[in-house]
Amino acid sequence: MKKIYFSLIVVSVFCIGCGSIPSCDDKEVTDVVTQIVKKQVPNISSLDISYSGFMTEKIDKEKKLIRCKAEMKMTNKNTKQSAENWFDYSARYTDDGMVYVEVY
């Protein structure tokens, strides 16, 4: 009985992303955006990154894809100087339930 119950929980958790579309402000999505930024920006360890102003630009239900716009604020931890930039990105779940994000 425990094995069946455990199996049902794993299946339901695995399928959460199977038929859905992520939201622009989902933590999973913003975490992936931060990973992408960290690969592109030198000296990123000295910066705090935050996001605001999330906007849904388009939802493609057939592709289960969302196109978004948000404002990214990067603040230097030492000098406290900051810069804000708007950027566009898209997000979708992969077949195995992971989040796939493209930043434009």
Side-chain angles (χ1 to χ4, degrees), residues 47 73-83:
L47 300 174
K73 182 177 181 181
M74 292 187 197
T75 305
N76 186 301
K77 293 176 186 177
N78 302 319
T79 66
K80 305 300 182 201
Q81 290 181 324
S82 63

Side-chain angles (χ1 to χ4, degrees), residues 3 6 10 12 24 30 35 42 71 95 99:
K3 283 187 178 182
F6 180 75
V10 170
S12 65
C24 293
T30 57
Q35 290 174 12
E71 184 175 36
D95 291 341
V99 174

Side-chain angles (χ1 to χ4, degrees), residues 9-20 95-97:
I9 290 174
V10 170
V11 171
S12 65
V13 170
F14 178 77
C15 289
I16 285 173
C18 296
S20 63
D95 291 341
D96 61 355

